[in-house]
Amino acid sequence: MKLGKICLSILCLSVCFLSCKKDDDGDDTVTVEIRDRAEQQIEDNNSIIEYLETHYYNKSAFEGNTNPKISELQIKSTEGLTISEDADSLLINAVGVSKKTVYADTDYEFYVLKLNQGGGEDSPTFSDNVLVNYEGFTLDNEVFDSAVTPVEFDLINLVPGWRKVLPDFNVAESYVENNDGTVDFVNSGVGVMFLPSGLGYFSSATSSISSYSPIAFKFELIHTTENDHDGDGVPSYLEDLNGDGEFTLANEDEGEDPTTDDDTDDDLIPDYYDTDDDGDGIPTIYEDIDEDGDPTNDIGKNGIPKYLDPEETESNT
């Protein structure tokens, strides 16, 4: 479920090599062919739609349920069944229209079954930490990963689909402490995401998932924590300078404009992980001149925050 520590779009285009089991002749390797993302998206979308059209869920279990859990969700094949009397329980009807996003210069469609919005006030941004229960499964309904007790993840370290889906849900409304020391969370954001491989593992493979496999995740969003990955006083989501919901670096060798990425000083460290965003020798946190904990409101003579302007070297130290 996890990707590398720093999730950059450019890394997702790298070639993935998978090792095969050794045989008597020595160590063989298999090179996975990197497919065209746009072409693969068409194939994946067709597979997802076919799955949604041929599966249904126990819709009645969630009607009027203000505290649903993913453990209550059952998804079954329609083969040999007649469910026309409750067509809304067909996944294709329940998910509604596809969601759209752009990732790695590719137009993607994905689908979300929203079972509960979540009663809390907060929603995560694409770069925050989230506390979740979840279950990952393939379109063959094989579970490949799960957590039945809450686990915390940095959304930047997960497959891209999580960053596109969870910000549309709210966290739990409250919690109840049980006599045995456990905690029950009430009215969490609950849903299922159906992702093309390009928003999943794409060319990578695991022991349970082959390359280029569309996948799905059930989830309960319990809590979120705002991230400041480099501790510079600027929340990480605000360091997405081009507003694309990812932290990207421009590839100048391919003619990409470095002024449109998320690396102000072009040192190949995106701002969310760079303690001196403008490369002026003054750490960003010291360019919080009024010392209110927010460097973004300290505007310089050029009309931009001083921490993004290499000509501004005033420090609060």
Side-chain angles (χ1 to χ4, degrees):
M1 183 171 179
K2 296 182 180 178
L3 294 178
K5 177 63 180 174
I6 302 178
C7 183
L8 304 174
S9 296
I10 190 173
L11 296 183
C12 296
L13 300 177
S14 60
V15 176
C16 175
F17 295 95
L18 302 178
S19 297
C20 292
K21 181 179 179 181
K22 291 183 179 181
D23 57 26
D24 295 337
D25 296 327
D27 184 13
D28 295 329
T29 60
V30 172
T31 302
V32 176
E33 178 186 359
I34 302 302
R35 301 177 184 174
D36 180 86
R37 279 185 170 268
E39 293 177 359
Q40 185 62 41
Q41 161 59 15
I42 294 173
E43 180 178 335
D44 289 349
N45 193 52
N46 290 337
S47 296
I48 293 174
I49 290 176
E50 180 181 2
Y51 180 89
L52 297 175
E53 289 178 339
T54 57
H55 288 77
Y56 69 103
Y57 77 108
N58 53 330
K59 179 174 178 286
S60 60
F62 296 90
E63 293 177 332
N65 187 348
T66 59
N67 190 31
K69 306 295 182 183
I70 56 175
S71 59
E72 303 171 56
L73 178 64
Q74 299 177 19
I75 296 178
K76 298 181 178 180
S77 170
T78 60
E79 185 176 358
L81 300 178
T82 301
I83 60 170
S84 58
E85 66 275 8
D86 188 11
D88 288 345
S89 64
L90 275 174
L91 289 176
I92 191 66
N93 295 326
V95 299
V97 297
S98 65
K99 310 290 184 181
K100 294 179 173 60
T101 191
V102 177
Y103 178 75
D105 296 324
T106 305
D107 292 325
Y108 280 106
E109 292 185 73
F110 59 99
Y111 301 83
V112 179
L113 173 62
K114 181 169 286 190
L115 299 171
N116 197 54
Q117 177 62 44
E121 294 183 357
D122 297 329
S123 295
T125 72
F126 77 95
S127 61
D128 288 339
N129 273 29
V130 292
L131 186 69
V132 294
N133 292 325
Y134 71 93
E135 179 181 282
F137 60 99
T138 66
L139 298 191
D140 294 323
N141 291 323
E142 296 293 329
V143 174
F144 60 81
D145 195 7
S146 66
V148 295
T149 57
V151 292
E152 186 170 16
F153 293 115
D154 184 340
L155 286 175
I156 292 302
N157 291 344
L158 302 183
V159 297
W162 283 78
R163 300 192 289 278
K164 311 304 179 185
V165 173
L166 263 64
D168 288 335
F169 286 78
N170 292 72
V171 299
E173 179 180 358
S174 59
Y175 64 92
V176 176
E177 295 184 12
N178 302 315
N179 293 332
D180 61 0
T182 61
V183 175
D184 287 334
F185 295 92
V186 179
N187 198 7
S188 302
V190 180
V192 187
M193 62 181 90
F194 299 91
L195 306 176
S197 64
L199 298 180
Y201 298 101
F202 197 51
S203 58
S204 299
T206 71
S207 59
S208 345
I209 310 171
S210 59
S211 302
Y212 304 111
S213 294
I215 52 177
F217 290 97
K218 305 174 185 178
F219 60 87
E220 297 170 15
L221 174 59
I222 296 168
H223 183 67
T224 185
T225 305
E226 184 177 83
N227 269 334
D228 177 5
H229 287 87
D230 53 11
D232 64 359
V234 182
S236 292
Y237 77 94
L238 292 179
E239 303 207 68
D240 172 25
L241 303 182
N242 59 18
D244 65 353
E246 299 288 337
F247 294 120
T248 56
L249 297 175
N251 188 336
E252 294 187 62
D253 291 339
E254 295 185 2
E256 296 178 358
D257 184 355
T259 65
T260 64
D261 67 4
D262 301 312
D263 179 15
T264 298
D265 56 6
D266 297 328
D267 63 353
L268 300 182
I269 303 174
D271 285 7
Y272 89 104
Y273 225 68
D274 192 343
T275 56
D276 179 10
D277 293 325
D278 57 8
D280 62 0
I282 309 298
T284 294
I285 195 137
Y286 296 144
E287 295 189 87
D288 176 19
I289 306 305
D290 59 12
E291 298 187 73
D292 66 348
D294 181 11
T296 67
N297 62 15
D298 295 275
I299 308 302
K301 61 180 180 294
N302 292 321
I304 61 175
K306 294 185 177 184
Y307 81 96
L308 294 177
D309 189 344
E311 296 179 8
E312 295 280 358
T313 56
E314 183 180 2
S315 170
N316 63 21
T317 60

